[in-house]
Amino acid sequence: MTDAFTSDAAVTWWRDEAVMHRFISDLVASELSAMRRTAHATTGALTPETHLGRDLGVDSLELMGLATALAQALHMHESGIEDYLLVHQTLGDWRTIAQASLEKFSARMTFLTSGSTGQPKSCVHALHALWQEVQEVAPLLSGCTKLFVAVPSHHIYGFLFTILLPRALDLDSRSVLDLRKSSPARLSRELREGDVVVGHPEFWRIVMRVIPAFPAAITGVTSTAPWPVEIDAGLRAAGLHRMVQIYGSSETAGVGWRTCIDEPYELFSFWQRADHATNLLIRQGETEGIQTPDLLTWQGERRFLPTGRLDHAVQVGGINVFPQKVRRALLSHPDVVDAAVRLMRPDEGNRLKAFIVPRDPGTDAVKLSEKLGVWAGQRLGAAEQPRAFSFGTSLPLDEKGKQADWIIAPLR
């Protein structure tokens, strides 16, 4: 196991062509899906020969957006060669340009938040800080010879656990197997003693359904959302040896870890509490603190439990409203199994919208929408009432299993 930041294993992650291609492919697929508001080419379908214009139909505006996203992620402005991305349009060309850029500057990277609690925002991280984190995680997974991954590599969790962590464990790219190209049922055929599986709660929920029994000594890793008790119990009943739960966010990177759902998280050694603040942390060597996305309840100086999101009120007509309050009101309707509430996109309006999972999948969406409008009017203030309802069999999720935005469609 490498033990110093100066190791080439960390600072030259981009020299592995397969790893660099995976990073760029994940970013391109994700950005195109967001631009076109539809699922697009899977990462597995993108090869170094894939031409953005000829094969993916990328127009000039989309090309500008993709090039900007990659340049921003890798800080290509620091090396000054980002304009080449607009000239050369195969993914292999972009890999070569990105590698040349990173040879000149690689000290920082930018990751975007998922936007699950608002508009996506940019989060800059020093590479040495990310490497510091995986150096602390690697001992928890020592002995791992194969890593199965179900998360995209261009998001911070995926970058940490599918690009840097394998290098900390001395695994080459052939030992990192992407599960997003196949059903999680593949695990039942390919898992061997000692393997590690990196996923997120919704991925693990599916795994729980399709794998009745795990081989010996399989370790799971999860992050991006709270870890449900029922999934933890189901996986343990199927013989999963251990689940490493990582608490963190795009803004903070990893904050702490635990392996037992009943225990508090352990703060990574490079974090310190800022005075007596409950959710303000200071990273080793830095002076400014950063807020965690949740309120933290501390048990001593180094152990904590997240105890609820910070205030995420949104404004409707100049009035603060709380989507979670609206969601609770909708969930109290007997025809509703689950619901998500958020502010409309700018092109949809300036009110709240709701996504509803009906108890009866065959329900008449128009009639239920009318009933829910009346229901909300009886329980919520004018600014709190959703003005558009969408329906589906499950809440919309992004590729990491976190709640995602949706487009309001006409009801039928």
Side-chain angles (χ1 to χ4, degrees):
M1 184 181 303
T2 49
D3 59 359
F5 168 63
T6 53
S7 164
D8 283 348
V11 297
T12 61
W13 64 270
W14 61 86
R15 290 181 180 169
D16 187 318
E17 292 190 349
V19 169
M20 192 75 250
H21 174 73
R22 178 157 54 91
F23 182 92
I24 294 174
S25 297
D26 285 348
L27 183 144
V28 166
S30 177
E31 289 292 325
L32 269 185
S33 295
M35 290 176 187
R36 298 174 176 179
R37 297 186 179 181
T38 182
H40 202 266
T42 64
T43 302
L46 303 179
T47 70
E49 290 73 36
T50 298
H51 190 282
L52 294 168
R54 182 179 62 244
D55 298 326
L56 300 182
V58 170
D59 63 24
S60 59
L61 289 178
E62 289 176 329
L63 178 63
M64 180 68 76
L66 294 175
T68 300
L70 181 59
Q72 180 187 27
L74 301 181
H75 285 232
M76 295 177 71
H77 60 280
E78 305 273 6
S79 61
I81 63 173
E82 68 272 22
D83 287 347
Y84 288 107
L85 296 173
L86 301 177
V87 179
H88 304 280
Q89 294 191 26
T90 68
L91 294 190
D93 290 336
W94 278 25
R95 182 188 65 200
T96 301
I97 296 167
Q99 289 175 313
S101 174
L102 288 164
E103 291 289 348
K104 294 184 177 181
F105 183 86
S106 60
R108 290 184 291 276
M109 295 185 65
T110 290
F111 301 91
L112 298 181
T113 63
S114 65
S116 58
T117 58
Q119 292 297 318
K121 66 178 180 179
S122 302
C123 306
V124 178
H125 290 273
L127 182 60
H128 76 82
L130 301 178
W131 181 244
Q132 187 179 35
E133 178 179 337
V134 300
Q135 287 288 89
E136 292 210 14
V137 171
L140 302 174
L141 306 173
S142 62
C144 169
T145 57
K146 193 179 297 180
L147 201 63
F148 292 85
V149 300
V151 293
S153 59
H154 70 296
H155 288 293
I156 190 166
Y157 176 43
F159 184 78
L160 285 162
F161 283 81
T162 76
I163 291 183
L164 291 189
L165 179 63
R167 306 182 84 79
L169 293 170
D170 287 335
L171 299 178
D172 61 28
S173 58
R174 293 169 297 182
S175 301
V176 181
L177 305 178
D178 194 339
L179 290 171
R180 295 171 298 156
K181 304 172 186 175
S182 55
S183 164
R186 171 184 172 189
L187 289 172
S188 63
R189 302 188 302 272
E190 299 188 16
L191 275 179
R192 299 291 182 271
E193 182 174 347
D195 289 344
V196 173
V197 183
V198 178
H200 49 75
E202 288 308 310
F203 167 81
W204 285 111
R205 188 185 300 278
I206 298 173
V207 170
M208 180 179 65
R209 294 174 180 170
V210 299
I211 298 185
F214 287 93
I218 300 299
T219 296
V221 180
T222 188
S223 189
T224 76
W227 183 232
V229 173
E230 68 274 15
I231 301 179
D232 189 81
L235 293 173
R236 291 186 185 281
L240 183 70
H241 172 61
R242 184 173 57 163
M243 178 62 73
V244 177
Q245 303 164 52
I246 304 296
Y247 175 79
S249 66
S250 299
E251 294 90 337
T252 60
V255 171
W257 63 275
R258 65 182 180 184
T259 57
C260 179
I261 197 170
D262 298 321
E263 297 291 330
Y265 288 91
E266 297 281 346
L267 197 64
F268 284 124
S269 67
F270 46 82
W271 288 113
Q272 296 290 332
R273 294 176 61 183
D275 298 326
H276 297 291
T278 57
N279 64 320
L280 191 65
L281 302 175
I282 296 179
R283 195 176 188 102
Q284 187 178 54
E286 298 182 2
T287 55
E288 293 188 6
I290 184 169
Q291 287 192 337
T292 60
D294 297 277
L295 289 171
L296 304 182
T297 297
W298 292 91
Q299 298 185 11
E301 288 299 314
R302 308 292 308 174
R303 307 181 81 196
F304 67 91
L305 283 172
T307 51
R309 300 287 305 185
L310 296 172
D311 180 3
H312 286 293
V314 298
Q315 279 208 332
V316 175
I319 300 172
N320 284 333
V321 299
F322 295 86
Q324 284 302 313
K325 174 188 174 185
V326 180
R327 176 176 182 267
R328 287 194 294 272
L330 296 173
L331 287 176
S332 66
H333 193 283
D335 293 338
V336 176
V337 170
D338 206 354
V341 177
R342 63 170 54 203
L343 203 59
M344 292 177 176
R345 298 168 183 264
D347 58 343
E348 294 174 331
N350 58 2
R351 303 295 297 269
L352 294 183
K353 60 181 181 180
F355 193 98
I356 302 296
V357 179
R359 187 168 304 282
D360 178 7
T363 192
D364 186 311
V366 174
K367 291 182 178 178
L368 182 53
S369 175
E370 293 171 351
K371 291 166 64 176
L372 289 175
V374 174
W375 185 268
Q378 295 170 338
R379 291 163 175 78
L380 301 167
E384 296 172 314
Q385 298 171 33
R387 281 294 182 259
F389 292 93
S390 300
F391 298 87
T393 56
S394 62
L395 297 181
L397 302 175
D398 65 15
E399 56 195 347
K400 294 190 298 179
K402 300 182 75 172
Q403 284 194 16
D405 200 356
W406 64 92
I407 299 172
I408 299 172
L411 299 179
R412 292 179 293 178

